[in-house]
Amino acid sequence: MTIGDAMPAARATEVIDIPATVRDLVGSLLTAPWGQVSASVYETGRLVTLAPWLTGHQRRLAYLVGSQRPDGGWGGPCGYSIVPTLSAVEAVLASLGRVPTGEVEAPGTDDAGEVAPYPGPAVLLGTAERGLRLLFRLLPSMDASAVPDTPALDLIVAALTDAINGHLDGERSAPPTALARVTFSGRLSPPAGVDGARLAMVRAAMRGGTGLPVKILHALEVTGSAARGHPAIRPEHTGTVGASAAATAAWLGDATEDGGRDEVGTDGPRARARRFLENVVNEHGDLAPCGIPVTAFERSWVLSGLARAGLTVRAPRQIVVELASALGPNGAAAADGLPADADTTAMSLYALGLLGMPHTPDPLWQFETETHFCTWQGEQGFSVTVNAHVLDAFGQHLRAVRGAPSTVGASADRCRAAVGKVTRLLCDRQRTDGSWRDRWHASPYYATVCCALALGEFGGSAAVDTVQRAREWVVNTQRPDGSWGLWDGSAEETAYGLQILALTGSARGGVEESFTRGYKFLLEVTRDTLEKDSGPALWHDKDLYYPRAIVRAAVMSALHLADTSRPARGRIADDR
């Protein structure tokens, strides 16, 4: 079935050309292979401190000043503001520490010699003081239960509170500097329950000359000066360390001393790391995203999401080959520089199955525990969405081998047992209101769409009541304007609401009025959403971020489902 065959007239196509948009979206996976993600206050702040020599430094400082909220913070609401606010405040204090006290405030010039909105000492001082006032008020009032479960949060909070206290104590600058005019006394402390014990262990390991687990490299910047040129750490072929601009800058250190060159030649690890940073800021308006690159993660989420909604697109052969090659015996990583994880592994398996290139699910077994599938070995938390994606992968595999020779029986039996195990787990983990919440996304609509769709497709009769409760929760939490959303109605979360209603049962009958209102809202905001290519940052990394391609795929999928007005299932064709 093609889009043209399924789509009735006078629908979303009057607002947006869905086939053309989907073709452009899939094409962008090749033209922007590192991924399409929003800028991060946290990561940008780290570059201000760690790499003031890097192209665009003045614009990064101006961005931090300009994006400060009226209350003095940065980032999302409540606990989501802790990490970006600490990073921005520390970066501004570090910049003040470099400014002589008598310097005249001036616009400054950017790296191309043109006038840029470069904030001078008085502006930086005011920005720092507003941020500090919020931190001194916010941190003591919070405990660990109010702090979001974002990656490396305990390491980041401990490292940045220490750094800010060092600035306030005068340890990180040699007077006279503008920093001497900061009038705060006392010291910052992390929220109750968030201590520096793990940070101390990580830093001790670094000082001892040993390497770190790959997952810790994503936040290498927390180790301070010990990260610079650490012999046990080497950038990937892309130049990244830990798929992070901040981590890469921490390893590279002050590139002005040698221009980022290696002792021998100009294409060694230091040269690669510097090119990586230059490329990242060049592609993001001189700013930096949380995670980059995110190649396999983005491709598997986009392609599988489009296929699940019934869209048929042509996947370039290169994407298929690279997605398959990224899936090794130990699983797939979201990108080079990150460890293999069950989430990317499962979604890659699921996408390849829909592409008509089924792959053995054996890499998933290494993530199995007695009770669930972990995101990676040694995970401290638990994720329902990871387990939902594991259910998708095993369910799709069983569908592909149905009727196959008996030689696959033992593997199929083990997969069926895993399907039953994960189905029971997800049903048990459903909240009393019918939703799910998860550690990889701020919104319950994302967690609920992952769990409800997996259970609806592969959970069988054991999941029928669970899926129905999820549908009822979606209807009951719809906003008056027809949208869905945690903090405000958004195109992304409304797309998830529509997918739940359309793909877990009929979009008619008792939910038709809710579905129609949600569709109307999404239709009204789609063009603006696509033109701006932005929305609320809801995805968890070190800071909240917005994955543009993934959200665009979700919106296109929901519009297609609404136009077909029925559950649909399609595939992505391999363009060979």
Side-chain angles (χ1 to χ4, degrees):
M1 179 180 65
T2 66
I3 297 172
D5 295 330
M7 198 170 295
R11 297 284 185 144
T13 47
E14 295 184 351
V15 175
I16 185 74
D17 186 340
I18 295 178
T21 301
V22 169
R23 285 195 298 271
D24 290 345
L25 172 59
V26 175
S28 73
L29 301 180
L30 279 179
T31 58
W34 282 5
Q36 303 163 55
V37 290
S38 61
S40 159
V41 170
Y42 168 80
E43 206 86 1
T44 299
R46 295 306 79 222
L47 289 190
V48 167
T49 293
L50 297 168
W53 46 264
L54 182 64
T55 302
H57 174 71
Q58 295 172 356
R59 292 187 186 276
R60 285 187 285 279
L61 254 184
Y63 166 74
L64 294 182
V65 171
S67 60
Q68 187 177 33
R69 300 193 309 248
D71 68 353
W74 284 263
C78 304
Y80 285 107
S81 69
I82 293 176
V83 165
T85 300
L86 284 168
S87 180
V89 168
E90 194 284 328
V92 172
L93 289 174
S95 298
L96 275 169
R98 303 183 186 113
V99 177
T101 331
E103 181 174 312
V104 177
E105 185 171 340
T109 58
D110 65 15
D111 299 282
E114 300 175 353
V115 174
Y118 180 57
V123 172
L124 293 176
L125 183 64
T127 300
E129 290 184 330
R130 287 190 298 274
L132 285 167
R133 278 195 295 270
L134 177 68
L135 290 173
F136 274 103
R137 184 174 68 251
L138 179 65
L139 295 183
S141 68
M142 304 187 73
D143 59 25
S145 65
V147 176
D149 184 17
T150 51
L153 181 136
D154 61 322
L155 299 175
I156 291 168
V157 171
L160 288 178
T161 52
D162 283 350
I164 290 172
N165 287 331
H167 288 304
L168 297 179
D169 292 344
E171 298 170 358
R172 296 174 183 269
S173 63
T177 66
L179 181 57
R181 293 157 55 189
V182 176
T183 57
F184 281 84
S185 60
R187 296 177 64 83
L188 284 177
S189 297
V194 179
D195 61 37
R198 195 160 71 109
L199 177 63
M201 293 172 54
V202 168
R203 287 180 169 177
M206 289 289 287
R207 289 193 299 270
T210 60
L212 294 175
V214 178
K215 67 177 183 177
I216 299 294
L217 295 184
H218 188 51
L220 182 65
E221 66 274 10
V222 303
T223 62
S225 59
R228 183 181 179 183
H230 196 286
I233 300 169
R234 281 293 180 267
E236 302 291 331
H237 68 94
T238 58
T240 181
V241 173
S244 161
T248 306
W251 180 86
L252 185 58
D254 187 357
T256 59
E257 293 183 3
D258 57 10
R261 292 184 297 274
D262 295 275
E263 291 184 5
V264 179
T266 59
D267 198 34
R270 285 182 57 75
R272 291 201 308 274
R274 175 152 189 167
R275 282 198 303 271
F276 169 79
L277 291 178
E278 294 286 359
N279 287 334
V280 166
V281 297
N282 180 62
E283 292 296 323
H284 293 85
D286 291 330
L287 310 180
C290 277
I292 193 81
V294 288
T295 308
F297 161 71
E298 180 179 86
R299 290 175 174 181
S300 57
W301 260 253
V302 167
L303 297 177
S304 61
L306 293 172
R308 188 168 224 157
L311 286 157
T312 301
V313 297
R314 305 299 297 181
R317 177 65 176 162
Q318 182 180 341
I319 289 181
V320 180
V321 170
E322 291 178 355
L323 192 61
S325 64
L327 189 63
N330 295 321
D336 292 335
L338 297 175
D341 66 86
D343 211 14
T344 308
T345 300
M347 289 295 274
S348 297
L349 288 167
Y350 184 55
L352 287 169
L354 295 176
L355 286 163
M357 294 185 62
H359 189 289
T360 173
D362 287 352
L364 282 174
W365 297 124
Q366 68 175 314
F367 302 105
E368 186 178 23
T369 73
E370 183 177 346
T371 58
H372 66 283
F373 284 79
C374 59
T375 308
W376 53 70
Q377 301 289 346
E379 180 185 24
Q380 294 178 306
F382 167 82
S383 169
V384 292
T385 64
V386 168
N387 282 271
H389 294 147
V390 166
L391 178 55
D392 284 330
F394 282 128
Q396 177 64 27
H397 173 72
L398 289 172
R399 179 177 286 156
V401 301
R402 188 178 298 155
S406 58
T407 53
V408 302
S411 174
D413 287 344
R414 188 177 182 185
C415 290
R416 279 190 287 271
V419 165
K421 171 181 178 176
V422 175
T423 295
R424 290 188 295 273
L425 171 71
L426 295 180
C427 290
D428 290 343
R429 289 281 182 156
Q430 187 179 36
R431 295 160 63 91
T432 56
D433 63 3
S435 68
W436 286 267
R437 288 185 177 270
D438 190 59
R439 65 182 312 204
W440 296 115
H441 201 284
S443 174
Y445 293 97
Y446 173 75
T448 303
V449 76
C450 294
C451 294
L453 266 55
L455 289 171
E457 188 165 4
F458 301 114
S461 59
V464 171
D465 290 342
T466 300
V467 172
Q468 180 58 33
R469 286 195 297 275
R471 288 167 61 84
E472 292 169 356
W473 173 77
V474 169
V475 173
N476 293 336
T477 57
Q478 190 171 29
R479 292 173 175 269
D481 63 359
S483 68
W484 284 278
L486 173 62
W487 296 316
D488 292 299
S490 72
E492 177 186 351
E493 293 162 286
T494 300
Y496 297 150
L498 291 174
Q499 288 179 38
I500 292 168
L501 296 181
L503 286 169
T504 61
S506 175
R508 299 184 182 278
V511 303
E512 185 171 9
E513 189 269 341
S514 177
F515 188 87
T516 301
R517 289 197 298 120
Y519 174 48
K520 181 180 178 181
F521 172 86
L522 190 59
L523 207 56
E524 289 174 349
V525 303
T526 290
R527 185 174 295 280
D528 186 56
T529 299
L530 295 182
E531 287 178 353
K532 292 181 178 177
D533 214 9
S534 65
L538 297 167
W539 292 67
H540 283 189
D541 199 333
K542 292 182 279 186
D543 196 357
L544 288 177
Y545 71 100
Y546 178 82
R548 292 188 293 271
I550 293 174
V551 172
R552 181 174 284 223
V555 170
M556 290 300 101
S557 297
L559 288 177
H560 172 69
L561 287 168
D563 273 354
T564 58
S565 296
R566 63 182 177 81
R569 191 168 163 71
R571 68 180 184 87
I572 298 178
D574 175 13
D575 190 10
R576 283 179 283 188

